[in-house]
Amino acid sequence: MEKKIYQKIVEHDIITIFGHVMPDGDCYGSQLGFKEAIIATFPNKQVYILGTGLPFLFERLAPMDIVDDEVIKKSLAIVLDVGNTERVEDQRFLMAKEIIKIDHHIFVHKYGDLELVDESAIACAQIVTRIIEKNNMSITKLGAEALMLGITTDSGRFMYGQTGEDTFRAASFLMSKGVDLRSLYDTLYASNLNDIKFKGYFLNSFIAEDGLCYITMTLEEVRKLNVDSDYAASQVNLISGIKGYPIWATFVEKDNGLIRCELRSQNPSLNVQLVAKKYGGGGHIQAAGCRVKSFELVDSVINDLKLLIKGEFKDVE
């Protein structure tokens, strides 16, 4: 499949690269890394990355592109890190001449003309790196750093369960292209005073019961702490690895009234993706998420996570 994807890239002069809603390091890094590799290999092609990306990294890496509908209609669309069409951030990908799906999440449904899904890969960036290697594509230092961003963030800096030999092989290839990992980490994990104060509040406010650690935050609480709702939800791993509490979660209200739920587990036997799926979300076995409409539903999610810990949760097809 890696060769077929490469051939499609060869055939198209315009390529648009899409990602998922609420982009993370793997989504943004995979988009930018693939763009840089395609342009380095085919300098005359037009390649664009679409979506919101991660603005705090734009100065360190690169911003997203803005294109009109006509460009997309003439393009090959490559959708990265998205298991289902509904979660593609920019739905204009459906206008493209052809669509390729590249993903590593648990399979939801097939879409696109070509599809490469590898659930064993820790990150979509790992799959993109494999495509680049197998087809002897060129890649810039910037592109390698973007893909390294994807691998390091989705693997938890190589700590999560699916990190394996192929992960380190991809990382080694990228490091050989001159990646300045220290500088990348300095940008990625920099904290300001307000971040530290928020983390102090978080660590003093979470609840630990029945094997589950979690925190719920209303929009009013988030605003008082002077942080963004998505940032607050993303800090879920502040309560990871606590002995006797194999699942941890955040439930944070957003401006639109929806509550973002981030679910994590200590080992693959506790598949939090099943719980996320029940509420319209998805993700990985040990890292998944969903959005619900009320804190009453949050109570249901919490109850289901406790049932999962007890081995009593029933999957909903």
Side-chain angles (χ1 to χ4, degrees):
M1 187 57 70
E2 290 86 352
K3 296 291 184 183
K4 290 182 179 179
I5 290 171
Y6 177 79
Q7 187 55 43
K8 287 295 180 183
I9 293 171
V10 170
E11 293 171 6
H12 289 78
D13 294 325
I14 303 175
I15 297 161
T16 49
I17 305 177
F18 297 80
H20 57 69
V21 295
M22 295 188 293
D24 56 12
D26 188 27
C27 177
Y28 167 63
S30 295
Q31 287 180 275
L32 178 58
F34 213 0
K35 172 186 175 178
E36 286 291 307
I38 294 170
I39 291 176
T41 308
F42 305 102
N44 294 324
K45 291 189 184 296
Q46 300 176 51
V47 187
Y48 306 99
I49 51 175
L50 304 179
T52 53
L54 290 178
F56 80 96
L57 286 171
F58 288 172
E59 185 175 349
R60 174 63 178 77
L61 295 174
M64 306 299 284
D65 298 310
I66 299 174
V67 299
D68 59 32
D69 293 355
E70 294 307 310
V71 171
I72 296 172
K73 289 176 182 177
K74 298 174 185 176
S75 75
L76 165 69
I78 301 177
V79 184
L80 300 176
D81 203 33
V82 193
N84 54 310
T85 55
E86 296 82 4
R87 281 182 55 79
V88 181
E89 185 178 24
D90 188 336
Q91 287 287 308
R92 294 182 299 164
F93 82 98
L94 294 167
M95 298 177 176
K97 290 166 65 177
E98 290 189 81
I99 298 170
I100 294 174
K101 169 188 176 183
I102 301 171
D103 189 34
H104 70 124
H105 294 93
I106 294 171
F107 182 81
V108 179
H109 65 242
K110 187 180 187 306
Y111 65 87
D113 303 285
L114 284 179
E115 182 179 73
L116 173 54
V117 178
D118 181 359
E119 295 178 13
S120 70
I122 193 70
C124 187
Q126 180 178 316
I127 304 172
V128 172
T129 302
R130 188 169 76 222
I131 293 169
I132 292 167
E133 281 194 274
K134 284 196 172 185
N135 291 289
N136 295 313
M137 296 176 70
S138 301
I139 188 167
T140 61
K141 175 184 176 181
L142 171 61
E145 289 189 329
L147 290 169
M148 198 66 181
L149 165 71
I151 290 174
T152 54
T153 53
D154 251 29
S155 69
R157 285 183 280 186
F158 308 102
M159 290 177 61
Y160 296 160
Q162 284 178 280
T163 302
E165 181 181 350
D166 290 341
T167 310
F168 286 107
R169 183 180 295 112
S172 176
F173 169 79
L174 296 171
M175 291 298 292
S176 73
K177 305 302 177 182
V179 171
D180 186 346
L181 195 58
R182 180 70 267 163
S183 171
L184 188 61
Y185 278 3
D186 285 346
T187 304
L188 187 59
Y189 299 108
S191 295
N192 58 41
L193 182 59
N194 196 65
D195 294 333
I196 300 300
K197 289 182 176 180
F198 167 78
K199 290 174 182 178
Y201 171 87
F202 188 113
L203 291 170
N204 278 289
S205 303
F206 75 90
I207 295 169
E209 57 186 19
D210 300 327
L212 172 67
C213 289
Y214 67 93
I215 188 170
T216 61
M217 299 183 70
T218 65
L219 183 58
E220 182 181 3
E221 288 174 309
V222 171
R223 287 174 173 169
K224 282 183 179 178
L225 291 163
N226 195 31
V227 295
D228 176 79
S229 294
D230 288 327
Y231 170 80
S234 73
Q235 298 304 298
V236 59
N237 283 326
L238 286 174
I239 47 176
S240 66
I242 299 174
K243 289 182 178 180
Y245 297 88
I247 293 182
W248 54 99
T250 52
F251 304 96
V252 183
E253 187 177 11
K254 294 170 59 68
D255 290 340
N256 60 10
L258 294 177
I259 295 133
R260 177 175 170 181
C261 314
E262 289 295 329
L263 319 177
R264 303 291 186 270
S265 76
Q266 206 165 53
N267 60 72
S269 68
L270 295 170
N271 185 351
V272 292
Q273 191 268 350
L274 297 177
V275 176
K277 184 177 70 171
K278 177 178 176 179
Y279 296 91
H284 307 288
I285 291 173
Q286 294 176 252
C290 59
R291 285 170 286 180
V292 297
K293 295 181 179 179
S294 69
F295 280 103
E296 286 77 15
L297 282 171
V298 167
D299 291 338
S300 296
V301 177
I302 290 170
N303 185 61
D304 282 333
L305 291 171
K306 291 178 179 178
L307 290 174
L308 184 64
I309 292 168
K310 295 176 183 177
E312 297 173 6
F313 177 77
K314 294 182 179 179
D315 186 15
V316 178
E317 294 297 332

